[in-house]
Amino acid sequence: MSMGTSKAVLHVLSGAVPQFLSSDLCSSNSDLVFYSKCLVKSVKKKGPKYLRSLKCSGMSGSQIGSYGCKCLGGGLYRNTTIDRLKLLSCKCQQAESVSGVDTGRENEAWFVDNANKLNLNGSIPEFEDVEKLKREDEASISNDKAGTGKSTFAAASVDSFEEEAWELLQASMVYYCGSPVGTIAANDPTNSNVLNYDQVFIRDFIPSGIAFLLKGEYDIVRNFILHTLQLQSWEKTMDCHSPGQGLMPASFKVRTVPLDGDDLATEEVLDPDFGEAAIGRVAPVDSGLWWIILLRAYGKCSGDLSVQERVDVQTGIKMILRLCLADGFDMFPTLLVTDGSCMIDRRMGIHGHPLEIQALFYSALLCAREMLTPEDGSADLLRALNNRLVALSFHIREYYWIDMRKLNEIYRYKTEEYSYDAVNKFNIYPDQISPWLVEWMPNKGGYLIGNLQPAHMDFRFFSLGNMWAVASGLATTAQSHAILDLIEAKWTDLVAEMPFKICYPALEGQEWQIITGCDPKNTPWSYHNGGSWPTLLWQLTVACMKMNRPEIAAKAVSVAEKRLSRDKWPEYYDTKKARFIGKQSHLFQTWSIAGYLVAKLLLADPDAAKILTTEEDSELVNAFSCMISANPRRKRGPKSSKQTYIV
Ligand code: GLC
C-alpha cells in the first residue's frame, strides 16, 4: 500500500470525508486514484460504507476498470432502447454526488417538451421515431407556409434544419443512472459496423456541450465534466504499461452489467478508453485540454463557478497541467506527442509538435490560469505555466508562421549554420518547399504550418489548429486576420461544396504510402487525408466571431445547409471539392449536428463566442515583448536563453 493510499484509508476510517468528489483527499494524485477505486467497489459490495472503502483498497486497477452504480430494476436494462425512466430508481451514489451543485433547472422544460414530442421518457429514440417526427415537422412546415414566396420557404427550411438538428442532438444524449452525461458519437441506424461510435468521445462532446450551454441546458455539461474527471485518474494499462496520470480518456461507454451475486439486479458502469482499445492505440492528448476549455466555458456561460472551484476539479486541472508541463528531453516549448493524438487519431505524420495540440495546449493553459485558485504550493505550477505560455506563443508565432514574405525567406535560407544566432535554426533545406505551396500561397494572407521538427517543416494547412490559434489568441491579431484572409482566398480548396477541409493538401503516392502506412481509410482526399468535416464549422465560427468577421462563417454555414440534412449529417465528405459523402462516413454523426448548431447559435449571438475565446492579458503581453527584445531572431546567446519571466 502506498503512502497516499494509507493516508486515504485513515481519512476514510476517521470519517473525515463525508462525500466523494468534494474531498480534501484529492490533494494528491495517488489519493485521488485511490478514492475513485473505492467508489467502484462501494457500489458493488454491501456493508458499512467505511469498511467497504477499506476493502477495495487492495484491488488493482485492472480488476476494476470502470465505476458503476447499482440499479434495482432487474435485468431489464441491457437493450440500448431501455426505458430510462426506470433507471431513475437507480441507487446512484455518483449521480447524487455529481449533481451536488444545483444550478437551477429553468431550461428543463425545453428538454421535457422535446422528449414528450418524441415520446422519449429519457430513452434513446428509434430511428423511425426521429424520421417520423421529421416528416411531421416538414409536413407541418409546408402546410404552414403553403402559398408563401420562395424566400419564406428557404427560411422555413433553414429553421427546420435547426429543429431537426436539436432533435437529433437530444436523441444522441447518453444517460448514466438516469442523468445525461454526454452524447453518443454517431447514431447511425444504417451502419452495422458501429466500432466505438456508440461511445461518448471527449472531443466529440465539446460542440454538443457548447450547444447545450448556449441553449441554457447546463446539467449535462456539468455531469460530463464531473464524470470524466472521475475517469481521469483511472489506472488503465496496455500490456502492463499505464499512461501518465492526468490523462483523460478518448471516450467512455455506459455499460449495463449484471450485479455480482445478484441475478435480479444490474448496474451501470462507465468504462473509459484511454487509447488502450482504440484503433492504433493512440493516446488522446487533446481530451484533457478540451476538458479544461469546456470547464471554463461552463463557468462563463452558466455563471456557476462552484464546479471549477471544487477541490477535486482543481486537482483535475493541476493533474492535466503537470502532465503537460513535465520536463522531458525536448528543446522546444511546444508539447511533444505521438502520431494521432488529437482529432486526427490515426497515423498522418502529425507526431512531434503538431499545431492542433499546440493551439489547444495554449488555450487550455490560458483557461486554467483563469480558473486556478491561488493556494500554497501552486506557485511553482503557476510560474511554470506562465513561462510556458510566453515561450510557446513566441515559438509558434515566430517559427510556425508562413506567408509570402516568410516563404521567400525560407527559399533563400543558408543551411548548416552552427551558432547561437543562426537564422535557419531548424536547418530547413529550401528544397523542402513543395511545388504546390509555391502556387498556393496567396499574396494576401498566411497560416501556421502543421508541424516543425529539426530539418522538417510540414507545410500542410491544418484547419483546426489554425482556427483554434485564432480563437485562443495564440496567433497575433495580424496573423489571425491573415489566416481568415487565406481562408477567403482559398475558399474553393478549403470549403468548396462542404466546409471544412481537415487539412490541405492530401498526401498522395509515395508520401501517402510512407506517412500513413498505406492506410486505406486515409486515401487522398478522404477522411483525415484532405476530407471535409462539417463539425469544423463551429471552430471556424468561433474564430470568425473573435476577429469580428462573421460573414465568412455565415457563408460557410449556408454552404453546409444545402446538404447536411439532406445527406443525413455525415461525419465527413470525400474528394477534392467535397462532392461525395465519405466512403466510410457514419451518418447522424453527433458532432456534425452539434457543430452546425453551435455555428448557428454564435451567428445569432456573436458575443457568446467569448465563453470560448481567450486573450493575452497585459502581464503576458509585457513578458512577451520582454522576451522578443531580449531574444530577437538573430541575437540569441546562452545567457538570455536561461532567463525566465515571472509574470
Ligand atoms: C474518428 C475521428 C475522431 C473522433 C471519432 C469519433 O476516430 O478521427 O476525431 O473523435 O471518430 O467521432
Side-chain angles (χ1 to χ4, degrees):
M1 189 186 284
S2 72
M3 283 288 284
T5 309
S6 49
K7 198 167 86 194
V9 171
L10 278 177
H11 274 273
V12 174
L13 280 173
S14 67
V17 186
Q19 215 191 12
F20 99 98
L21 289 177
S22 57
S23 159
D24 286 343
L25 285 178
C26 302
S27 56
S28 88
N29 298 352
S30 51
D31 291 343
L32 188 70
V33 172
F34 166 71
Y35 211 16
S36 301
K37 283 181 194 169
C38 289
L39 272 152
V40 178
K41 280 325 261 189
S42 70
V43 295
K44 287 191 173 179
K45 299 276 178 210
K46 299 174 175 90
K49 183 178 169 192
Y50 299 140
L51 252 186
R52 274 181 266 143
S53 304
L54 186 59
K55 262 188 190 167
C56 73
S57 64
M59 303 295 291
S60 79
S62 55
Q63 280 172 282
I64 40 174
S66 43
Y67 76 92
C69 74
K70 181 178 174 185
C71 301
L72 301 176
L76 289 166
Y77 305 122
R78 288 165 184 275
N79 200 306
T80 45
T81 55
I82 51 178
D83 182 347
R84 298 286 176 184
L85 266 188
K86 286 188 190 134
L87 279 184
L88 292 175
S89 66
C90 284
K91 290 244 167 89
C92 301
Q93 196 179 346
Q94 279 81 10
E96 280 164 24
S97 309
V98 164
S99 315
V101 187
D102 194 11
T103 51
R105 307 180 66 84
E106 54 297 350
N107 288 292
E108 209 169 47
W110 175 78
F111 274 97
V112 172
D113 283 355
N114 283 283
N116 288 342
K117 214 170 164 191
L118 275 167
N119 198 15
L120 283 180
N121 288 338
S123 70
I124 298 170
E126 298 288 357
F127 174 60
E128 296 77 49
D129 295 338
V130 178
E131 286 294 291
K132 186 164 161 266
L133 195 75
K134 224 168 91 183
R135 283 193 298 275
E136 282 169 12
D137 275 0
E138 276 162 12
S140 78
I141 283 161
S142 54
N143 286 342
D144 290 345
K145 305 285 174 190
T148 55
K150 200 177 166 200
S151 59
T152 321
F153 176 74
S157 41
V158 167
D159 285 353
S160 76
F161 297 152
E162 275 185 71
E163 251 175 65
E164 179 193 334
W166 278 116
E167 280 152 14
L168 291 169
L169 183 63
Q170 189 191 338
S172 74
M173 282 160 74
V174 170
Y175 292 78
Y176 176 62
C177 300
S179 304
V181 290
T183 49
I184 197 172
N187 222 346
D188 183 355
T190 63
N191 197 333
S192 53
N193 191 15
V194 177
L195 299 170
N196 49 356
Y197 281 73
D198 60 350
Q199 306 207 1
V200 179
F201 277 75
I202 308 306
R203 73 175 71 84
D204 292 41
F205 180 74
I206 306 304
S208 299
I210 302 298
F212 288 127
L213 287 180
L214 295 178
K215 195 80 179 174
E217 177 53 42
Y218 307 135
D219 284 6
I220 183 170
V221 181
R222 193 185 63 237
N223 292 341
F224 171 87
I225 288 168
L226 293 174
H227 281 295
T228 46
L229 176 69
Q230 285 302 298
L231 300 175
Q232 175 192 33
S233 47
W234 222 257
E235 271 177 42
K236 275 273 185 159
T237 57
M238 183 196 155
D239 302 339
C240 311
H241 178 72
S242 315
Q245 278 213 349
L247 186 73
M248 282 279 182
S251 60
F252 66 84
K253 188 174 168 66
V254 180
R255 295 189 195 281
T256 306
V257 295
L259 191 63
D260 286 349
D262 192 343
D263 291 345
L264 290 174
T266 59
E267 65 177 334
E268 288 192 333
V269 294
L270 288 185
D271 188 9
D273 178 5
F274 289 85
E276 79 282 1
I279 297 165
R281 304 293 187 261
V282 282
V285 178
D286 62 342
S287 290
L289 306 174
W290 277 124
W291 183 86
I292 289 179
I293 294 166
L294 183 67
L295 174 64
R296 171 182 176 262
Y298 169 81
K300 278 189 113 50
C301 195
S302 68
D304 169 23
L305 300 183
S306 67
V307 173
Q308 68 190 46
E309 284 164 0
R310 288 168 59 136
V311 177
D312 54 347
V313 173
Q314 288 282 317
T315 306
I317 300 173
K318 286 182 204 157
M319 279 168 72
I320 297 170
L321 292 180
R322 288 207 179 98
L323 192 58
C324 294
L325 295 171
D327 287 335
F329 292 107
D330 212 7
M331 289 297 294
F332 306 153
T334 34
L335 198 59
L336 179 65
V337 297
T338 49
D339 217 340
S341 59
C342 52
M343 176 180 177
I344 297 180
D345 54 1
R346 293 166 87 88
R347 195 171 145 194
M348 262 290 285
I350 52 165
H351 51 280
H353 306 94
L355 178 67
E356 175 176 332
I357 289 290
Q358 312 316 322
L360 293 176
F361 182 32
Y362 182 80
S363 180
L365 287 181
L366 277 181
C367 293
R369 189 170 179 261
E370 223 178 278
M371 293 186 292
L372 279 175
T373 48
E375 53 156 29
D376 295 348
S378 64
D380 283 350
L381 187 66
L382 269 173
R383 193 171 305 120
L385 189 157
N386 283 326
N387 283 335
R388 194 65 172 261
L389 270 172
V390 175
L392 180 63
S393 60
F394 177 82
H395 187 87
I396 296 283
R397 292 167 185 181
E398 189 73 16
Y399 305 128
Y400 279 58
W401 182 252
I402 193 153
D403 56 11
M404 264 315 252
R405 189 196 58 77
K406 182 73 181 288
L407 196 55
N408 206 163
E409 197 180 310
I410 298 170
Y411 182 71
R412 290 165 54 77
Y413 265 167
K414 291 188 182 43
T415 57
E416 317 297 338
E417 295 174 278
Y418 178 82
S419 64
Y420 288 113
D421 52 7
V423 175
N424 181 5
K425 287 193 179 59
F426 307 101
N427 203 30
I428 304 296
Y429 299 105
D431 277 359
Q432 265 176 52
I433 300 176
S434 324
W436 70 264
L437 184 59
V438 178
E439 299 301 320
W440 200 65
M441 182 63 81
N443 287 326
K444 188 177 175 217
Y447 66 96
L448 296 166
I449 60 169
N451 208 342
L452 177 68
Q453 320 254 39
H456 176 66
M457 282 179 127
D458 183 346
F459 289 111
R460 282 176 292 169
F461 174 87
F462 285 87
S463 307
L464 179 43
N466 272 283
M467 290 163 186
W468 213 255
V470 175
S472 63
L474 175 58
T476 63
T477 307
Q479 288 173 344
S480 298
H481 277 298
I483 291 170
L484 295 182
D485 290 341
L486 179 125
I487 288 174
E488 284 192 303
K490 295 291 155 189
W491 194 260
T492 49
D493 290 328
L494 298 175
V495 175
E497 297 193 23
M498 179 54 67
F500 204 98
K501 200 138 279 169
I502 195 165
C503 64
Y504 184 92
L507 296 169
E508 304 195 60
Q510 220 183 9
E511 252 192 331
W512 167 77
Q513 286 177 354
I514 296 170
I515 294 176
T516 72
C518 299
D519 185 347
K521 204 167 173 187
N522 274 340
T523 50
W525 307 108
S526 180
Y527 199 48
H528 299 139
N529 188 11
S532 298
W533 291 65
T535 188
L536 292 169
L537 256 185
W538 80 269
Q539 285 106 340
L540 171 71
T541 309
V542 176
C544 292
M545 295 310 165
K546 168 109 190 264
M547 303 317 294
N548 197 18
R549 291 170 69 170
E551 66 287 351
I552 303 175
K555 198 170 143 197
V557 166
S558 69
V559 174
E561 256 161 1
K562 291 201 180 81
R563 296 176 69 191
L564 269 185
S565 161
R566 194 188 72 194
D567 293 345
K568 303 196 169 66
W569 310 91
E571 180 187 14
Y572 66 97
Y573 286 79
D574 283 353
T575 79
K576 249 181 174 171
K577 301 270 175 260
R579 301 192 70 183
F580 293 164
I581 297 172
K583 216 183 302 168
Q584 295 186 45
S585 178
H586 288 254
L587 302 180
F588 299 102
Q589 180 81 15
T590 304
W591 69 353
S592 299
I593 297 161
Y596 167 73
L597 284 173
V598 172
K600 294 293 281 191
L601 288 161
L602 293 180
L603 279 168
D605 179 10
D607 247 15
K610 293 209 171 85
I611 65 168
L612 291 156
T613 57
T614 41
E615 314 274 350
E616 265 176 326
D617 56 31
S618 53
E619 278 178 325
L620 284 176
V621 174
N622 287 343
F624 186 79
S625 42
C626 172
M627 180 165 208
I628 292 194
S629 49
N631 192 15
R633 275 206 280 160
R634 275 159 214 81
K635 243 177 53 187
R636 184 164 189 169
K639 261 190 194 149
S640 60
S641 64
K642 285 250 155 52
Q643 202 169 337
T644 56
Y645 298 90
I646 306 189
V647 285

